[in-house]
Each structure stands twice: as structure tokens, then as C-alpha cells.
């Protein structure tokens, strides 16, 4: 991918994320009926790792970290990881030390294991 194309993809991604952040900042998923329900939960009755993420994201954007953890413990951790990876992919040299650390396969595997553990814990133990 050329540097110019990478720059445009980064700008487009940032614009989409900022738009979504504005929507979740100004509209509360707890009270607004326009936000979609989790299809996995509706079909199975099990909570996916992302169930409660809309409410948790709203709380995070308003600085309520404790509330975000209460609604979905996975979202604050996932948000930090995703932001770090996006910075590495779009704004850092791929051979830089930062990029190599953040995009490390072991870190990604740890994130996936945390996601699976969160899925099991919240459905088996009601966490």
C-alpha cells in the first residue's frame, strides 16, 4: 500500500470513528431506542463479549470509567488496545519499535484469549 493511500485510509478511519464517537457522546443508548440490539444475544440468550458495549462506550466518552467497567469490562481494555494498534498501523513506521511491540502476535493472542475468557465468564458465572 502506498503512503498516500495509507494516509487517506487513516483519515477516513479517523473521520468515521470521530463521527461514531459523537453519536455515542450525544445520544445515550440507555434511553434512546435507535441503537441496535445484539443479534447474538437475541438469537441465543447468551451475552457476547460486546454486549453492553454501546452503553460502556457512552460512559467512557463521558469519563465514567467505573460505569464503563460495570457495563462491559471488555470495552475499556479493547478500546485501549484498538487505539494503540490503529496508531501503529496508520501513524507509525512498520519497522519502528512501537509498531513491533503493539502489533506483536503474542499480544494479539493475549487479547483474543482475554476476549474468550470474558465471553465464558460472563455467561457461566454471570460476571
Amino acid at each position: 500500500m502506498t503512503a498516500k493511500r495509507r494516509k487517506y485510509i487513516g483519515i477516513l478511519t479517523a473521520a468515521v470513528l470521530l463521527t461514531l464517537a459523537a453519536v455515542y457522546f450525544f445520544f445515550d443508548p440507555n434511553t434512546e431506542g435507535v441503537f441496535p440490539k445484539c443479534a447474538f444475544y437475541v438469537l441465543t440468550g447468551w451475552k457476547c463479549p460486546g454486549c453492553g458495549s454501546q452503553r460502556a462506550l457512552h460512559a467512557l466518552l463521558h469519563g465514567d470509567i467505573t460505569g464503563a467497567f460495570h457495563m462491559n469490562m471488555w470495552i475499556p481494555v479493547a478500546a485501549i488496545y484498538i487505539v494503540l494498534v490503529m496508531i501503529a498501523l496508520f501513524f507509525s513506521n512498520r519497522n519502528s519499535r512501537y509498531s513491533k511491540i503493539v502489533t506483536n502476535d503474542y499480544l494479539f493472542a493475549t487479547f483474543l484469549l482475554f476476549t474468550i475468557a470474558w465471553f465464558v465468564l460472563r455467561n457461566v458465572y454471570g460476571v
Side-chain angles (χ1 to χ4, degrees):
M1 177 178 339
T2 66
K4 190 174 185 178
R5 181 178 169 98
R6 194 166 136 198
K7 178 181 174 183
Y8 288 132
I9 290 173
I11 291 170
L12 180 63
T13 302
V16 168
L17 290 176
L18 286 173
T19 302
L20 287 173
V23 168
Y24 282 103
F25 183 82
F26 291 111
F27 299 101
D28 186 358
N30 292 310
T31 58
E32 302 288 334
V34 297
F35 293 96
K37 304 288 184 211
C38 177
F40 184 79
Y41 182 75
V42 170
L43 291 173
T44 65
W46 291 0
K47 293 181 179 178
C48 75
C51 280
S53 61
Q54 296 179 66
R55 294 177 289 124
L57 184 58
H58 178 76
L60 271 180
L61 291 171
H62 285 274
D64 184 9
I65 297 170
T66 306
F69 268 103
H70 177 70
M71 292 171 203
N72 186 327
M73 190 185 310
W74 181 75
I75 290 301
V77 175
I80 292 168
Y81 178 71
I82 290 167
V83 166
L84 292 175
V85 169
M86 288 182 61
I87 289 169
L89 292 177
F90 293 118
F91 302 110
S92 178
N93 181 349
R94 294 200 190 255
N95 293 323
S96 71
R97 185 174 179 193
Y98 171 78
S99 183
K100 286 181 180 180
I101 290 171
V102 172
T103 59
N104 184 315
D105 289 340
Y106 294 113
L107 186 60
F108 180 70
T110 302
F111 177 72
L112 286 179
L113 286 174
F114 175 71
T115 302
I116 293 166
W118 174 239
F119 174 72
V120 171
L121 285 173
R122 76 184 318 193
N123 286 297
V124 173
Y125 297 107
V127 177

